Amino acid sequence: MNSNKMRTLALTLLVGAATQVVAAPAPVTELNGNSAQGGDNSLARLERMIEARNQVQIDMQRQLDQLASEMDELRGLVERNSYDLSQMLERQRELYREVDALSRQPQKEVDETSDSTPASTETYTSNVSENEAYESAVNLILKEKDYPGAVKAFQAFLSAYPESVYKPNAHYWLGQLYFTQSQLKEAGEQFTAVASFSDSNKRADAMLKLGVIAERSKKPDEAKKYYQQVIELYPGSTSSRQAEKNLKALAK
């Protein structure tokens, strides 16, 4: 009996304790002024971080754009230098052939009192002094690499032999020498002189060079005119194919 009373009392106490726990109000944390201020600071820091990251991305993109532009410029310079180098190598090969042909020509003295002038269609002259003067100027380029000396030698040659069959070639090589030294005005004058000889085998390349000079002088319309003339007058030639490439590049 006492045992049942004790059990009943214990159960009553447990139920009462449980009721108090369930009925107890849930703790409430109020947001005071300090908590609100802390939230604002966190939001401001987050905004600054996002802004800084965006600025870094903008700076990186700007640097990438600049690098891409510089790469395009370098690529253009490499292509142009490759073309100039190939042209110079081709001209050197032609010079070697000319020198070799000159060395095979019979060296005959001519009567200085003779007033006969070699025909413009001749490739070589029988005038020993004229041959030697021209060959000497050529050797300054090929053998001695004395380009300033070659300029003077070709100028002296043209002055001494104004009606020489080598006149177109002398003008052409003067143009080449000036062109490689970026003296575009002087080079243009020499190539124009070559272009005036309709039967010169250097005429096509001289006209092509006039187009390149016009292009580098920021005269695209004039450059197109020269390129089109080369294509029309010398179809299928090396100069014509290069003129077509240059025209396409100008159209971009």
Side-chain angles (χ1 to χ4, degrees):
M1 184 69 176
N2 290 332
S3 176
N4 290 334
K5 288 182 178 180
M6 292 295 293
R7 187 180 296 111
T8 301
L9 179 60
L11 288 172
T12 302
L13 291 173
L14 287 173
V15 171
T19 302
Q20 290 179 358
V21 171
V22 172
V28 177
T29 302
E30 295 183 357
L31 295 176
N32 55 25
N34 291 334
S35 298
Q37 184 65 34
D40 291 342
N41 290 339
S42 298
L43 181 59
R45 283 197 300 272
L46 180 59
E47 290 176 347
R48 287 195 297 271
M49 290 173 62
I50 294 174
E51 183 178 354
R53 185 186 64 181
N54 291 341
Q55 186 61 46
V56 169
Q57 291 177 341
I58 292 172
D59 292 341
M60 290 181 64
Q61 186 61 48
R62 185 181 297 112
Q63 292 176 6
L64 288 173
D65 292 342
Q66 183 177 354
L67 287 173
S69 176
E70 291 175 355
M71 287 293 293
D72 289 340
E73 184 177 353
L74 287 173
R75 189 178 297 109
L77 288 174
V78 169
E79 291 175 355
R80 176 62 64 185
N81 289 337
S82 296
Y83 166 69
D84 290 343
L85 178 60
S86 66
Q87 290 293 300
M88 289 181 64
L89 291 175
E90 179 61 26
R91 298 289 76 78
Q92 283 191 347
R93 285 192 289 269
E94 289 185 7
L95 274 173
Y96 277 121
R97 289 193 290 268
E98 289 182 9
V99 171
D100 180 66
L102 281 173
S103 65
R104 298 171 186 271
Q105 290 295 308
Q107 303 294 305
K108 297 180 180 179
E109 295 288 347
V110 296
D111 185 359
E112 294 184 357
T113 61
S114 173
D115 58 356
S116 60
T117 302
S120 61
T121 56
E122 289 183 359
T123 305
Y124 304 103
T125 178
S126 58
N127 187 322
V128 176
S129 298
E130 184 178 341
N131 278 329
E132 289 178 347
Y134 181 76
E135 185 174 352
S136 176
V138 169
N139 286 337
L140 286 173
I141 298 175
L142 292 181
K143 296 182 179 180
E144 300 181 28
K145 311 298 182 184
D146 181 5
Y147 304 128
V151 169
K152 294 179 180 178
F154 278 118
Q155 289 173 338
F157 176 84
L158 289 170
S159 177
Y161 305 99
E163 302 301 325
S164 172
V165 294
Y166 304 128
K167 185 176 181 179
N169 286 7
H171 279 298
Y172 179 84
W173 294 118
L174 273 174
Q176 284 287 85
L177 289 165
Y178 286 131
F179 185 82
T180 56
Q181 296 172 26
S182 297
Q183 295 178 250
L184 300 184
K185 180 177 180 296
E186 292 81 358
E189 292 172 352
Q190 298 301 322
F191 289 132
T192 298
V194 177
S196 67
F197 293 90
S198 59
D199 57 347
S200 172
N201 61 354
K202 300 291 192 298
R203 187 169 186 255
D205 195 64
M207 294 174 67
L208 176 65
K209 282 295 195 306
L210 287 171
V212 174
I213 291 172
E215 188 176 346
R216 294 189 182 184
S217 301
K218 309 300 182 184
K219 299 177 181 178
D221 292 337
E222 185 176 334
K224 290 178 182 178
K225 181 188 71 173
Y226 282 117
Y227 293 150
Q228 289 168 349
Q229 287 179 348
V230 173
I231 295 170
E232 293 172 2
L233 295 175
Y234 303 95
S237 65
T238 301
S239 298
S240 176
R241 288 191 291 271
Q242 186 60 49
E244 290 176 353
K245 292 180 182 178
N246 292 1
L247 267 179
K248 290 179 181 178
L250 276 176
K252 293 181 180 179

